Structures are given as structure tokens and as C-alpha cells.
Amino acid sequence: MFTGSAPLGFAEKANQALSAERFAGGLAPRDWVIRQDPYRRARLLVIETRSGTVALRGTSIGCEGPALLWLPGGSEGSLRIEAGAQGYLVAVSED
């Protein structure tokens, strides 16, 4: 689901094949659990500021903004962004 105001070129309403969530600064880190879904969506993490860490398949990957990180569909893991980080988490169907 898309939260916040839509950037130019992005649809306000997401469908099952595509969804985007903007995350913007907060006072505490933010965590997501990445699970397989029925639409088998890959995820694109766009970090504009600060940093984040992704844990997939027993490996932890850190990235410092600005950064893009592609997470393949069918993967399960976790995502943590630090306090004050800004960016997007986009889910795209691989079909």
C-alpha cells in the first residue's frame, strides 16, 4: 500500500502486481518482515537518506543512502532502516 503523497509518475492506487510504500524519518528504527506472498513479488528498497540492513538467506547486507537494493521474489527475511531514514519499499510481481 502507498502512504503519503505520490511522487510524480507514481500511481496513487496500487494493484496486486505493484505496490509502493514511502517511509520517512522517525525517531526510532523501523523493521519489516519480508514473507512470500501469493503474488510472488520481488522488492526494491530505495534508501534516499541514512542507512538500512537487509537479512536474507542467512546473510546480512547493509546499505548507505542513496542506495538501491533488489530483493528477489520468494525470499523471506527482514529489513531494518535506521531512525530518520527516508525512501521507498516497492513490491513488483515477477510474473
Side-chain angles (χ1 to χ4, degrees), residues 5-69:
S5 60
L8 294 176
F10 275 80
E12 282 282 349
K13 295 185 180 181
N15 62 29
Q16 296 169 343
L18 174 69
S19 68
E21 179 179 351
R22 175 158 175 70
F23 54 87
L27 297 176
R30 186 165 176 191
D31 297 295
W32 284 276
V33 174
I34 301 167
R35 293 193 176 101
Q36 291 185 18
D37 62 18
Y39 309 109
R40 190 167 171 77
R41 294 181 291 187
R43 286 164 175 85
L44 173 65
L45 173 63
V46 180
I47 296 183
E48 297 173 314
T49 61
R50 302 282 183 143
S51 64
T53 304
V54 176
L56 291 172
R57 301 178 184 150
T59 301
S60 183
I61 302 167
C63 52
E64 186 81 29
L68 297 173
L69 188 60

